[in-house]
Structures are given as C-alpha cells and as structure tokens.
Amino acid sequence: MSENRTLTGIPGFLVGHWTHAEARTGCTVILCPPEGAVASASFLGPSPGTREGVLLSPDKKIERIHALLLTGGSAFGLGAAGGVVRVLEERGVGHQTPWARVPLVPAAVIYDLGVGRADIRPGEAQGEHAARTASADPVPRGLVGAGTGATAGKYLGGGVPGGLGSVLLERHGVRVGALAVVNPIGDVLDERGGVLAGPGVGPGAAAFTPGDVQNTTLIAVVTEHTLSKSECRRLADAAQAALARVIHPSHTPWDGDSAFVLSAATRPPADPLLLVALVQEAVCAAVRDAVRAARTD
C-alpha cells in the first residue's frame, strides 16, 4: 500500500465526501479526533459564507471543534452541518454541557449554483452521508465533494474546473496536511508562476463584472503539533497569505476566502518558523493538486 500523502495522513483526522455529479455540487467533512481539535480561522473578502465562524475567533471561550464542513450550495449548503452534528451526537462526541454533549461543527461554503443545477444542494442528509463515510483512506481528489462545482479563472466569465485537492508535507519531523476547495475568480499559478488554470490574460482584458458571491477558496490545514487557539489563527492568516502566491489576483472584492487551522495537540509544539513555512507550502500544493486532479475527472 502506498503512503498516504493527503490530509488523512495526519492521525486522527477522517475525511468523507458527498458528490452529485449532475448537479455539480457536493460537500466534504473533516472529522476531528473524538476529543476535538484546537481550531481557529481567517476570513478574507466581503462575502464569506460560514456557520459558527465567530466561535473560532481567539477571544471566544471554546477552543476545540469536532468536525469541519466544506460545502457547495451557497448559503443553502450550510444546512449540511446538521447532518454531521447528528452523527457526532450518536457517537457521543461533543462539548460537554450540563445536559448534553454538543458537537461543534463550523462550516464554510462556495457558490456553485451557476455551474450545474441550482435546485440541488447539500443538506442534512448529504452532510450525514459524508460524515458516516469519512475514513482515514487517502482523500479522493478532483471533482468530488465540495470541489465538484468549483471553478477558477472567472474574471472573463465562465471558468475552468477548480476541484478539490489535498496534500501532506513533512520537514524535519514536522507534518501538516492541507485540503483546498478551489473556486477563485483569479488564475491558479504553477510552481514557476505560469498559468495552471484560467485565461491568463489578467483582469481588464474584457468588460465583465463578476457576481458578488460567486468566488471563494476554502482551505483546511491540520497538524498533530500542539497549538493554542491564537497560534492557529496566526497560521490561518499565513494560509491566506499563501493564496496570494498561487492565485492571481487573490482576495479580490469578489472573493470570500476562508482558511481553517486545526491542531490535534497530540505532539509537542513545533518550530514556529518551520510550521509557517510548511503551512504555506502545503496550501499552495493543495490548490495546485485540486486543479490537476480536476483535469483528470
């Protein structure tokens, strides 16, 4: 069996998809270890679509979450988180309160209603399916899950498949896994700065006004190394900065990019500089992996 070089190569994290190929939409669930993962996030752009995003701010009391949902379907797709919560409740996973364990499942969406069928979106049943089928197997990539209807390079209209990608990187014993849902208005760049996906001519080549909420890249980064919630936030900001290296232009007025960082906190803290570098390398690699995998579907 080949080595798992995707996010699920980090022990304790499981990934499951629900995909509707005809409607060009889907959702992806990342299940954390049963005790949860310390997590924070960074949201850039005017139109991020999220659930429980405020909870992830470092100044909020709760530190650990139990799953993360990335989904298509715009605001409709956020309802899929309810299905994930149901599965976790059945398994006795959640934040202990006086009367019940409450699973905490933040979520973020892309707008994919214009590429397939707008009347079919992920909901509770679809989120439940993704959670029940989540496994530690290598993450299926390409036009699957939340990346099914993702497109890139839309500043002239249209766009090319963006997809979903995932990688695992290791340097000097420090490991991070990343998963990307690639739905930007800008071009995706390869390792040498050439155009990997998109028109490659740059904005201004034609008179086109993109829709306000149609472009968002979603990033999830996980690690075993112990991090505080504030440190997760700083790494989430670093992940956003990495998008500027691989997407051009990035963080435009029409993008609502979301980056999440989750720590299982099962290994000692890692060198901060090395961790930042690895997170940024992993984000760039996951974005490129998504586009390349989408081409083969």
Side-chain angles (χ1 to χ4, degrees):
M1 181 181 295
S2 61
E3 185 179 5
N4 184 353
R5 303 303 298 176
T6 68
L7 181 147
T8 47
I10 301 294
F13 292 95
L14 311 177
V15 171
H17 298 309
W18 172 81
T19 301
H20 197 301
E22 177 193 357
R24 296 282 301 278
T25 193
C27 63
T28 297
V29 173
I30 300 172
L31 297 184
C32 303
E35 62 274 17
V38 179
S40 192
S42 175
F43 305 108
L44 296 181
S47 300
T50 66
R51 174 188 189 267
E52 293 189 344
V54 173
L55 180 74
L56 298 172
S57 176
D59 66 320
K60 305 308 177 188
K61 181 178 180 181
I62 295 296
E63 288 199 346
R64 291 179 180 254
I65 65 172
H66 305 98
L68 175 66
L69 171 74
L70 307 179
T71 181
S74 190
F76 299 107
L78 292 173
V84 184
V85 169
R86 181 184 302 120
V87 173
L88 294 176
E89 181 184 26
E90 289 178 6
R91 297 176 180 177
V93 173
H95 175 68
Q96 184 64 60
T97 72
W99 292 277
R101 284 190 176 273
V102 180
L104 299 177
V105 184
V109 302
I110 66 167
Y111 186 98
D112 56 5
L113 302 181
V115 298
R117 289 181 55 181
D119 62 333
I120 296 179
R121 290 94 54 159
E124 283 199 16
Q126 290 71 36
E128 180 176 348
H129 172 86
R132 293 196 186 281
T133 59
S135 77
D137 294 338
V139 178
R141 294 131 50 231
L143 300 180
V144 295
T148 306
T151 51
K154 290 170 283 192
Y155 53 84
L156 300 185
V160 299
L164 179 148
S166 185
V167 301
L168 184 149
L169 297 184
E170 181 173 358
R171 303 280 190 278
H172 307 292
V174 177
R175 299 193 301 178
V176 300
L179 186 149
V181 178
V182 182
N183 192 54
I185 190 172
D187 298 318
V188 176
L189 307 181
D190 65 19
E191 291 81 356
R192 297 186 177 184
V195 176
L196 187 61
V201 296
F208 173 69
T209 301
D212 284 342
V213 294
Q214 297 178 8
N215 314 283
T216 294
T217 296
L218 308 179
I219 299 293
V221 176
V222 306
T223 184
E224 305 154 276
H225 298 282
T226 298
L227 296 168
S228 68
K229 196 174 183 184
S230 294
E231 289 168 335
C232 286
R233 171 56 186 272
R234 287 194 288 271
L235 287 174
D237 288 338
Q240 290 277 18
L243 287 181
R245 292 163 49 180
V246 71
I247 295 172
H248 183 264
S250 68
H251 304 107
T252 75
W254 296 278
D255 288 286
D257 303 314
S258 301
F260 301 85
V261 173
L262 288 65
S263 165
T266 55
R267 294 184 62 188
D271 177 88
L273 184 58
L274 175 58
L275 202 53
V276 168
L278 270 180
V279 166
Q280 294 192 322
E281 289 178 28
V283 167
C284 292
V287 169
R288 292 173 180 134
D289 180 66
V291 170
R292 288 170 172 142
R295 286 178 174 173
T296 65
D297 286 347

